[in-house]
Protein backbone atom coordinates (compact mmCIF):
# COMPACT_ATOMS: atom_id res chain seq x y z
CA UNK A 1 0.00 0.00 0.00
CA UNK A 2 1.51 3.35 -1.05
CA UNK A 3 0.91 6.34 1.18
CA UNK A 4 2.23 9.87 0.73
CA UNK A 5 2.85 11.19 4.22
CA UNK A 6 6.11 12.97 3.39
CA UNK A 7 8.02 13.34 0.14
CA UNK A 8 10.41 10.65 1.35
CA UNK A 9 7.57 8.31 0.35
CA UNK A 10 8.13 9.17 -3.34
CA UNK A 11 11.41 8.55 -5.14
CA UNK A 12 12.82 11.36 -7.30
CA UNK A 13 11.78 9.39 -10.42
CA UNK A 14 8.26 9.02 -9.05
CA UNK A 15 8.02 12.75 -8.33
CA UNK A 16 9.13 13.44 -11.90
CA UNK A 17 6.50 10.98 -13.19
CA UNK A 18 3.83 12.80 -11.14
CA UNK A 19 5.00 16.15 -12.56
CA UNK A 20 4.89 14.84 -16.14
CA UNK A 21 1.37 13.50 -15.66
CA UNK A 22 0.29 16.72 -13.92
CA UNK A 23 1.62 18.82 -16.81
CA UNK A 24 -0.17 16.63 -19.33
CA UNK A 25 -3.49 16.77 -17.42
CA UNK A 26 -3.05 20.54 -17.05
CA UNK A 27 -2.60 20.91 -20.82
CA UNK A 28 -5.67 18.67 -21.39
CA UNK A 29 -7.79 20.79 -19.06
CA UNK A 30 -6.73 23.97 -20.88
CA UNK A 31 -8.09 22.34 -24.06
CA UNK A 32 -11.34 21.40 -22.31
CA UNK A 33 -10.45 17.70 -21.95
CA UNK A 34 -11.30 16.02 -18.64
CA UNK A 35 -10.55 12.30 -18.81
CA UNK A 36 -12.63 10.29 -16.31
CA UNK A 37 -9.63 8.16 -15.26
CA UNK A 38 -11.05 7.65 -11.78
CA UNK A 39 -14.75 7.25 -12.63
CA UNK A 40 -16.55 5.49 -9.79
CA UNK A 41 -13.73 6.16 -7.31
CA UNK A 42 -14.43 7.81 -3.97
CA UNK A 43 -12.10 10.17 -2.11
CA UNK A 44 -12.51 11.05 1.56
CA UNK A 45 -11.16 14.35 2.88
CA UNK A 46 -10.62 13.91 6.61
CA UNK A 47 -9.77 17.35 8.02
CA UNK A 48 -9.10 18.44 11.59
CA UNK A 49 -8.05 22.00 10.65
CA UNK A 50 -9.46 24.70 8.37
CA UNK A 51 -8.56 24.76 4.68
CA UNK A 52 -9.43 26.57 1.47
CA UNK A 53 -6.81 25.52 -1.09
CA UNK A 54 -6.21 21.91 -0.05
CA UNK A 55 -9.85 21.05 0.40
CA UNK A 56 -11.15 22.68 -2.76
CA UNK A 57 -8.23 21.69 -5.00
CA UNK A 58 -8.44 18.01 -4.01
CA UNK A 59 -12.19 17.96 -4.47
CA UNK A 60 -12.00 19.73 -7.84
CA UNK A 61 -9.16 17.51 -9.08
CA UNK A 62 -11.12 14.38 -8.18
CA UNK A 63 -14.26 15.70 -9.90
CA UNK A 64 -12.25 16.38 -13.08
CA UNK A 65 -11.05 12.77 -12.92
CA UNK A 66 -14.66 11.54 -12.72
CA UNK A 67 -14.67 10.58 -9.03
CA UNK A 68 -16.72 11.58 -6.01
CA UNK A 69 -15.50 13.25 -2.80
CA UNK A 70 -16.88 13.29 0.71
CA UNK A 71 -15.68 15.79 3.28
CA UNK A 72 -15.35 14.47 6.84
CA UNK A 73 -15.03 17.07 9.56
CA UNK A 74 -14.96 16.78 13.33
CA UNK A 75 -18.44 15.21 13.52
CA UNK A 76 -17.10 11.81 12.32
CA UNK A 77 -15.39 11.45 15.69
CA UNK A 78 -11.97 10.27 14.49
CA UNK A 79 -10.34 8.85 17.62
CA UNK A 80 -13.20 10.06 19.82
CA UNK A 81 -16.23 7.86 19.04
CA UNK A 82 -14.03 4.78 18.57
CA UNK A 83 -10.35 3.97 18.45
CA UNK A 84 -8.31 5.60 15.68
CA UNK A 85 -7.36 2.12 14.47
CA UNK A 86 -10.99 0.96 14.15
CA UNK A 87 -11.84 4.23 12.45
CA UNK A 88 -9.07 3.75 9.88
CA UNK A 89 -9.93 0.11 9.19
CA UNK A 90 -13.60 0.91 8.63
CA UNK A 91 -13.26 4.16 6.66
CA UNK A 92 -10.87 2.57 4.20
CA UNK A 93 -13.34 -0.24 3.46
CA UNK A 94 -15.54 2.36 1.81
CA UNK A 95 -13.24 4.72 -0.06
CA UNK A 96 -10.34 4.50 -2.53
CA UNK A 97 -8.13 7.23 -1.06
CA UNK A 98 -8.07 9.37 2.08
CA UNK A 99 -6.60 12.87 2.12
CA UNK A 100 -6.00 13.81 5.73
CA UNK A 101 -5.23 17.12 7.42
CA UNK A 102 -4.35 16.47 11.05
CA UNK A 103 -3.18 18.43 14.06
CA UNK A 104 -0.42 16.00 14.74
CA UNK A 105 1.70 14.04 12.23
CA UNK A 106 1.49 10.83 14.29
CA UNK A 107 -2.28 10.84 13.70
CA UNK A 108 -1.76 10.53 9.94
CA UNK A 109 0.90 7.87 10.44
CA UNK A 110 -1.52 5.89 12.60
CA UNK A 111 -4.29 6.29 10.03
CA UNK A 112 -1.97 5.00 7.29
CA UNK A 113 -0.80 2.07 9.43
CA UNK A 114 -4.34 0.71 9.63
CA UNK A 115 -5.60 1.84 6.21
CA UNK A 116 -6.33 -0.52 3.32
CA UNK A 117 -6.24 2.29 0.74
CA UNK A 118 -3.68 5.06 0.09
CA UNK A 119 -3.49 7.95 2.55
CA UNK A 120 -2.22 11.37 1.42
CA UNK A 121 -1.05 13.95 3.93
CA UNK A 122 -2.95 17.20 3.35
CA UNK A 123 -0.89 19.01 6.08
CA UNK A 124 0.19 18.15 9.58
CA UNK A 125 2.21 20.05 12.16
CA UNK A 126 5.38 18.48 10.62
CA UNK A 127 4.88 18.32 6.85
CA UNK A 128 2.87 19.62 3.90
CA UNK A 129 4.07 17.45 1.01
CA UNK A 130 1.37 18.35 -1.54
CA UNK A 131 2.19 22.02 -1.08
CA UNK A 132 5.88 21.43 -1.78
CA UNK A 133 5.05 19.36 -4.87
CA UNK A 134 2.97 22.22 -6.30
CA UNK A 135 5.69 24.74 -5.38
CA UNK A 136 8.45 22.88 -7.19
CA UNK A 137 6.17 22.27 -10.16
CA UNK A 138 5.61 26.05 -10.26
CA UNK A 139 9.37 26.71 -10.17
CA UNK A 140 9.79 24.17 -12.99
CA UNK A 141 7.22 26.04 -15.10
CA UNK A 142 8.89 29.39 -14.41
CA UNK A 143 12.55 28.42 -14.82
CA UNK A 144 12.23 25.43 -17.17
CA UNK A 145 14.34 23.19 -14.90
CA UNK A 146 14.77 22.28 -11.24
CA UNK A 147 18.18 20.69 -10.68
CA UNK A 148 20.73 23.32 -9.76
CA UNK A 149 18.20 26.03 -8.83
CA UNK A 150 18.39 27.69 -5.41
CA UNK A 151 15.28 28.10 -3.26
CA UNK A 152 15.58 30.43 -0.25
CA UNK A 153 13.09 30.15 2.60
CA UNK A 154 12.89 33.07 5.03
CA UNK A 155 11.00 32.74 8.33
CA UNK A 156 9.66 29.99 10.57
CA UNK A 157 11.14 26.53 9.80
CA UNK A 158 7.68 24.97 9.86
CA UNK A 159 5.76 22.15 8.13
CA UNK A 160 5.94 23.90 4.75
CA UNK A 161 9.68 24.59 5.10
CA UNK A 162 10.38 20.95 6.02
CA UNK A 163 8.52 19.63 3.00
CA UNK A 164 10.24 22.14 0.72
CA UNK A 165 13.62 21.05 2.05
CA UNK A 166 12.82 17.38 1.40
CA UNK A 167 11.54 18.21 -2.09
CA UNK A 168 14.69 20.20 -2.91
CA UNK A 169 16.93 17.45 -1.57
CA UNK A 170 15.16 14.87 -3.71
CA UNK A 171 15.15 16.91 -6.91
CA UNK A 172 18.67 18.38 -6.71
CA UNK A 173 17.93 22.00 -5.77
CA UNK A 174 19.97 24.02 -3.35
CA UNK A 175 17.97 25.11 -0.28
CA UNK A 176 18.75 27.99 2.07
CA UNK A 177 16.78 28.70 5.21
CA UNK A 178 17.08 31.91 7.22
CA UNK A 179 15.41 31.87 10.64
CA UNK A 180 16.26 32.88 14.20
CA UNK A 181 17.93 29.96 16.03
CA UNK A 182 14.82 29.27 18.08
CA UNK A 183 12.67 28.72 14.97
CA UNK A 184 15.22 26.83 12.84
CA UNK A 185 14.98 23.19 11.75
CA UNK A 186 15.22 20.81 14.71
CA UNK A 187 18.20 18.47 14.91
CA UNK A 188 16.01 15.39 14.36
CA UNK A 189 14.89 16.76 11.00
CA UNK A 190 18.43 17.76 9.99
CA UNK A 191 19.58 14.23 10.83
CA UNK A 192 16.80 12.72 8.73
CA UNK A 193 17.75 14.92 5.76
CA UNK A 194 21.38 13.95 6.13
CA UNK A 195 20.56 10.24 6.34
CA UNK A 196 18.55 10.32 3.13
CA UNK A 197 20.49 12.99 1.25
CA UNK A 198 24.06 13.34 2.54
CA UNK A 199 25.02 15.39 -0.55
CA UNK A 200 22.16 17.91 -0.12
CA UNK A 201 23.28 21.50 -0.62
CA UNK A 202 21.60 23.01 2.47
CA UNK A 203 22.43 26.44 3.84
CA UNK A 204 21.20 27.17 7.38
CA UNK A 205 21.63 30.78 8.44
CA UNK A 206 20.17 33.51 10.62
CA UNK A 207 20.76 36.10 7.88
CA UNK A 208 17.91 36.52 5.34
CA UNK A 209 20.13 38.51 2.96
CA UNK A 210 22.65 35.72 2.81
CA UNK A 211 19.90 33.18 2.16
CA UNK A 212 18.33 35.03 -0.78
CA UNK A 213 21.65 35.75 -2.52
CA UNK A 214 21.63 34.02 -5.95
CA UNK A 215 18.20 32.51 -5.20
CA UNK A 216 15.81 31.55 -8.01
CA UNK A 217 12.89 31.46 -5.57
CA UNK A 218 12.26 33.36 -2.32
CA UNK A 219 9.66 31.67 -0.13
CA UNK A 220 7.97 32.56 3.13
CA UNK A 221 5.04 31.35 5.22
CA UNK A 222 3.18 32.62 8.27
CA UNK A 223 5.04 33.03 11.55
CA UNK A 224 2.13 31.51 13.51
CA UNK A 225 0.86 28.24 12.05
CA UNK A 226 -2.46 26.64 12.85
CA UNK A 227 -2.26 25.31 16.40
CA UNK A 228 0.45 27.78 17.52
CA UNK A 229 -1.88 30.67 18.32
CA UNK A 230 -0.87 30.78 22.00
CA UNK A 231 2.76 31.50 20.93
CA UNK A 232 1.76 34.44 18.72
CA UNK A 233 3.40 37.29 20.62
CA UNK A 234 6.77 35.55 21.06
CA UNK A 235 6.85 34.37 17.45
CA UNK A 236 5.97 37.74 15.96
CA UNK A 237 8.66 39.38 18.06
CA UNK A 238 11.39 36.86 17.20
CA UNK A 239 10.58 36.70 13.51
CA UNK A 240 10.02 40.40 12.86
CA UNK A 241 13.44 40.77 11.20
CA UNK A 242 12.49 38.04 8.70
CA UNK A 243 9.87 39.90 6.67
CA UNK A 244 10.13 39.50 2.91
CA UNK A 245 9.88 43.10 1.72
CA UNK A 246 11.18 45.09 -1.23
CA UNK A 247 14.59 45.62 0.36
CA UNK A 248 15.11 41.92 1.00
CA UNK A 249 13.82 40.84 -2.41
CA UNK A 250 16.25 43.34 -3.98
CA UNK A 251 19.10 41.26 -2.49
CA UNK A 252 18.00 38.35 -4.72
CA UNK A 253 18.55 38.34 -8.48
CA UNK A 254 15.86 39.82 -10.73
CA UNK A 255 15.00 36.32 -11.96
CA UNK A 256 13.93 35.25 -8.44
CA UNK A 257 10.25 34.59 -8.00
CA UNK A 258 8.38 35.17 -4.73
CA UNK A 259 6.44 32.18 -3.38
CA UNK A 260 4.04 31.72 -0.47
CA UNK A 261 1.77 28.76 0.24
CA UNK A 262 -1.05 31.08 1.43
CA UNK A 263 -2.97 32.04 3.45
CA UNK A 264 -0.64 35.00 4.09
CA UNK A 265 -0.56 37.37 7.00
CA UNK A 266 0.11 40.50 4.94
CA UNK A 267 2.26 43.05 6.74
CA UNK A 268 3.96 40.36 8.84
CA UNK A 269 5.99 37.79 6.90
CA UNK A 270 5.44 39.61 3.59
CA UNK A 271 4.51 43.09 2.43
CA UNK A 272 1.68 43.83 -0.02
CA UNK A 273 4.27 45.26 -2.37
CA UNK A 274 6.06 41.91 -2.66
CA UNK A 275 3.10 39.52 -2.65
CA UNK A 276 1.26 41.64 -5.24
CA UNK A 277 4.43 42.58 -7.12
CA UNK A 278 5.74 41.47 -10.51
CA UNK A 279 7.99 38.73 -9.09
CA UNK A 280 5.16 37.05 -7.15
CA UNK A 281 3.80 33.69 -8.39
CA UNK A 282 1.54 32.95 -5.42
CA UNK A 283 -1.66 32.61 -7.46
CA UNK A 284 0.01 30.27 -9.97
CA UNK A 285 1.24 28.21 -7.01
CA UNK A 286 -2.28 27.94 -5.57
CA UNK A 287 -3.66 26.99 -9.00
CA UNK A 288 -0.99 24.32 -9.36
CA UNK A 289 -2.14 22.65 -6.15
CA UNK A 290 -5.10 21.37 -8.17
CA UNK A 291 -3.07 20.28 -11.20
CA UNK A 292 -0.35 18.52 -9.24
CA UNK A 293 -2.73 16.77 -6.84
CA UNK A 294 -4.69 15.59 -9.88
CA UNK A 295 -1.48 14.11 -11.25
CA UNK A 296 -0.67 12.56 -7.87
CA UNK A 297 -4.14 11.01 -7.49
CA UNK A 298 -4.17 9.66 -11.06
CA UNK A 299 -0.66 8.24 -10.62
CA UNK A 300 -1.28 6.76 -7.17
CA UNK A 301 -4.66 5.18 -7.94
CA UNK A 302 -3.54 3.73 -11.27
CA UNK A 303 -1.03 1.56 -9.42
N1 LIG B 1 -1.75 26.32 1.34
C1 LIG B 1 -2.74 25.63 1.94
O1 LIG B 1 -2.59 24.43 2.26
O2 LIG B 1 -3.88 26.32 2.10
P1 LIG B 1 -5.16 25.85 2.92
O3 LIG B 1 -4.78 25.82 4.35
O4 LIG B 1 -6.21 26.88 2.60
O5 LIG B 1 -5.55 24.47 2.43
N1 LIG C 1 2.33 26.70 8.13
C1 LIG C 1 0.93 26.93 7.88
C2 LIG C 1 0.58 26.47 6.50
C3 LIG C 1 -0.85 26.66 6.10
C4 LIG C 1 -1.13 26.21 4.72
C5 LIG C 1 0.09 26.20 8.93
O1 LIG C 1 0.41 25.06 9.25
O2 LIG C 1 -0.85 26.79 9.44
Amino acid sequence: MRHVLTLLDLSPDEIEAVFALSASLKRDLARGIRQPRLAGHVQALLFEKPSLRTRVSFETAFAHLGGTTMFLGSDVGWGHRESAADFARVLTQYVDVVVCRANCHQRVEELARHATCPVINGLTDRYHPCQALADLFTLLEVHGRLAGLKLAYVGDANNVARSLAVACARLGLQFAIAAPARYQFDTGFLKLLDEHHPQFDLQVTTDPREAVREADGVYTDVWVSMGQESERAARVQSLSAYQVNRELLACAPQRARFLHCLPACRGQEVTDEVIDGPQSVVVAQAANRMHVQKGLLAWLLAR
Side-chain angles (χ1 to χ4, degrees):
M1 183 60 52
R2 288 301 295 271
H3 303 296
V4 182
L5 306 191
T6 83
L7 291 177
L8 294 173
D9 294 327
L10 297 173
S11 72
D13 285 350
E14 288 173 337
I15 296 175
E16 279 165 18
V18 168
F19 282 177
L21 182 54
S22 305
S24 152
L25 293 171
K26 184 173 176 176
R27 281 192 299 271
D28 282 353
L29 185 66
R31 298 205 309 266
I33 301 166
R34 300 175 188 200
Q35 296 171 18
R37 292 172 180 238
L38 298 180
H41 286 64
V42 179
Q43 162 182 250
L45 301 183
L46 175 62
F47 277 40
E48 286 190 315
K49 302 191 197 201
S51 171
L52 169 64
R53 280 144 288 269
T54 308
R55 176 176 176 174
V56 178
S57 59
F58 265 108
E59 183 155 351
T60 304
F62 217 68
H64 289 172
L65 292 166
T68 302
T69 297
M70 65 185 66
F71 183 80
L72 307 177
S74 56
D75 55 323
V76 289
W78 178 27
H80 301 298
R81 284 189 73 226
E82 57 198 306
S83 77
D86 285 347
F87 183 96
R89 289 187 195 106
V90 173
L91 173 63
T92 58
Q93 295 298 306
Y94 302 134
V95 302
D96 299 287
V97 60
V98 181
V99 179
C100 178
R101 170 165 287 199
N103 290 322
C104 166
H105 192 70
Q106 286 86 336
R107 295 265 283 159
V108 179
E109 289 178 331
E110 188 182 17
L111 182 75
R113 216 167 26 249
H114 299 287
T116 51
C117 73
V119 173
I120 298 175
N121 177 0
L123 181 147
T124 65
D125 57 337
R126 294 292 293 175
Y127 294 106
H128 197 0
C130 298
Q131 180 68 53
L133 282 179
D135 298 337
L136 264 60
F137 184 84
T138 306
L139 282 175
L140 177 62
E141 287 185 330
V142 169
H143 293 294
R145 69 189 172 101
L146 285 176
L149 295 184
K150 176 179 177 182
L151 179 60
Y153 182 98
V154 177
D156 182 30
N158 62 13
N159 45 6
V160 171
R162 280 188 211 97
S163 284
L164 286 169
V166 176
C168 289
R170 277 180 124 42
L171 297 178
L173 288 82
Q174 187 186 350
F175 188 73
I177 178 153
R182 183 171 172 195
Y183 297 113
Q184 260 295 357
F185 285 146
D186 51 284
T187 49
F189 177 68
L190 290 171
K191 196 161 157 267
L192 183 80
L193 273 181
D194 193 48
E195 275 165 18
H196 287 269
H197 292 280
Q199 310 297 331
F200 182 32
D201 192 347
L202 172 67
Q203 184 187 359
V204 176
T205 175
T206 52
D207 182 354
R209 288 164 183 255
E210 195 185 312
V212 305
R213 197 169 302 135
E214 287 311 311
D216 301 285
V218 174
Y219 202 117
T220 191
D221 184 17
V222 289
W223 295 338
V224 185
S225 285
M226 291 180 276
Q228 297 174 334
E229 291 78 7
S230 64
E231 302 168 23
R232 182 175 302 279
R235 289 179 157 272
V236 171
Q237 192 184 17
S238 297
L239 286 151
S240 61
Y242 292 82
Q243 183 184 70
V244 180
N245 49 36
R246 186 158 46 118
E247 293 70 38
L248 182 63
L249 199 58
C251 299
Q254 197 64 46
R255 67 174 186 276
R257 291 292 171 268
F258 172 74
L259 299 101
H260 192 306
C261 57
L262 304 179
C265 192
R266 288 166 174 256
Q268 281 195 359
E269 76 275 5
V270 62
T271 57
D272 285 340
E273 205 173 23
V274 166
I275 199 168
D276 298 327
Q279 285 168 269
S280 175
V281 292
V282 299
V283 176
Q285 264 179 279
N288 278 334
R289 294 291 306 278
M290 201 272 292
H291 300 297
V292 174
Q293 288 156 197
K294 191 189 289 178
L296 178 64
L297 288 162
W299 177 84
L300 197 59
L301 298 187
R303 297 172 66 81

